[in-house]
Amino acid sequence: MPKLKSLAVVMAAVGILLAGCSNSDFQAETDYEIADFNYSNQDNEKVSLKDLEGKVWIADFIFTNCETVCPPMTFNLTKLQKELKKAGVEDYKIVSFSVDPEKDTPQALKEYISGYEADTGKWELLTGYKFEEIKDFAEHSFKTIVAKDPNSDQVIHQTSFFLVNQEGVVVKNYSGNSDVPYEEITSDMKTLIKEGSK
C-alpha cells in the first residue's frame, strides 16, 4: 500500500512537470460569457456574436472623439496585426466596440480607422446601439467600466485588450495602452486557433 501511494505521488509529480514543460496548453485566466449582440460595423453591415463563432478574436472599447488612450490603443492593435501576420496567424478578428455610439456612425468609424495602417478585412468597428446598452454590455460581458465623463464630452473606459475564444468566452485580457505584450498575445492566439482546429 505505501508503495502504491509513493508511486501515485511520483506519477502526479511527473504530470506536473510535463504540464509545466508544455507550451501548447493555453491557460485561461477569465471565464466571461459574452451576451449575444447584433451591431453595425464601419461598412454598415450587421455583425453578430454568431458571425464570430469559431474565430479567436481580440476586443477593445474605443471612440473616435477620444483625446487620450484610444489613438495609442488603435495603433497598438495595428502593430499586433503585423505581429500576427509575421507569426503566420490569419484566422482571427479584432472587434472594437464604440462607447460613443451617438457620434460614432459607421461612416465616422470608417474615417477613423482609415487613419491607421489597419487590415480592415479582419477588423470590425461596431456601433448602432444606445449608450446605456454598450455600458451594460461592457459591464456584464467583459467586466469592464464604461461611463460618461460629467465634465466633458469624453467617455471613461478601460484600456484592456480582451482575448475571446471560439465559443465567445473572454479567456484573458492584456494591457492595451502601454507595455502591450505582443509576443504573449500572438502566442496565446496561435495556441487557441491551433487547439480549435484539432
Side-chain angles (χ1 to χ4, degrees):
M1 194 73 174
K3 274 185 182 175
L4 281 174
K5 266 190 182 172
S6 56
L7 182 63
V9 169
V10 169
M11 292 299 283
V14 168
I16 289 163
L17 282 171
L18 286 173
C21 292
S22 171
N23 291 330
S24 64
D25 295 332
F26 172 80
Q27 296 299 315
E29 292 178 2
T30 58
D31 184 24
Y32 312 148
E33 202 168 318
I34 296 174
D36 197 18
F37 63 83
N38 190 19
Y39 301 145
S40 300
N41 72 4
Q42 69 270 29
D43 296 315
N44 208 14
E45 296 166 347
K46 288 290 185 183
V47 176
S48 68
L49 183 62
K50 192 155 182 62
D51 294 326
L52 297 164
E53 206 174 275
K55 294 260 185 219
V56 171
W57 47 290
I58 290 283
D60 74 338
F61 293 85
I62 54 131
F63 62 109
T64 61
N65 192 38
C66 178
E67 294 168 359
T68 53
V69 294
C70 304
M73 285 171 70
T74 304
F75 174 79
N76 292 342
L77 282 175
T78 65
K79 195 172 170 188
L80 176 63
Q81 282 196 311
K82 287 170 188 165
E83 294 298 321
L84 289 167
K85 191 170 186 175
K86 266 196 273 181
V89 180
E90 293 290 337
D91 193 24
Y92 72 90
K93 281 279 186 183
I94 290 173
V95 182
S96 293
F97 295 94
S98 168
V99 293
D100 192 8
E102 282 82 9
K103 288 179 186 164
D104 285 346
T105 60
Q107 184 58 36
L109 290 169
K110 198 177 180 88
E111 281 173 23
Y112 172 79
I113 201 65
S114 72
Y116 297 86
E117 289 179 16
D119 179 356
T120 52
K122 298 182 187 300
W123 200 326
E124 311 287 359
L125 292 94
L126 301 184
T127 188
Y129 36 77
K130 299 289 183 199
F131 176 79
E132 285 302 318
E133 190 180 340
I134 194 63
K135 180 178 177 286
D136 290 347
F137 176 72
E139 187 183 327
H140 292 113
S141 292
F142 291 86
K143 313 295 181 227
T144 190
I145 295 162
V146 170
K148 287 191 175 176
D149 182 350
N151 303 312
S152 73
D153 64 351
Q154 297 294 287
V155 182
I156 298 158
H157 62 94
Q158 289 178 301
T159 58
S160 297
F161 292 158
F162 299 90
L163 178 61
V164 184
N165 71 11
Q166 289 94 330
E167 287 78 48
V169 175
V170 181
V171 289
K172 202 167 176 181
N173 59 70
Y174 317 86
S175 169
N177 183 26
S178 59
D179 301 319
V180 180
Y182 297 105
E183 205 174 300
E184 184 186 344
I185 301 172
T186 302
S187 172
D188 288 346
M189 289 178 77
K190 203 170 184 175
T191 303
L192 277 184
I193 292 165
K194 193 177 173 186
E195 285 179 358
S197 64
K198 281 178 186 173

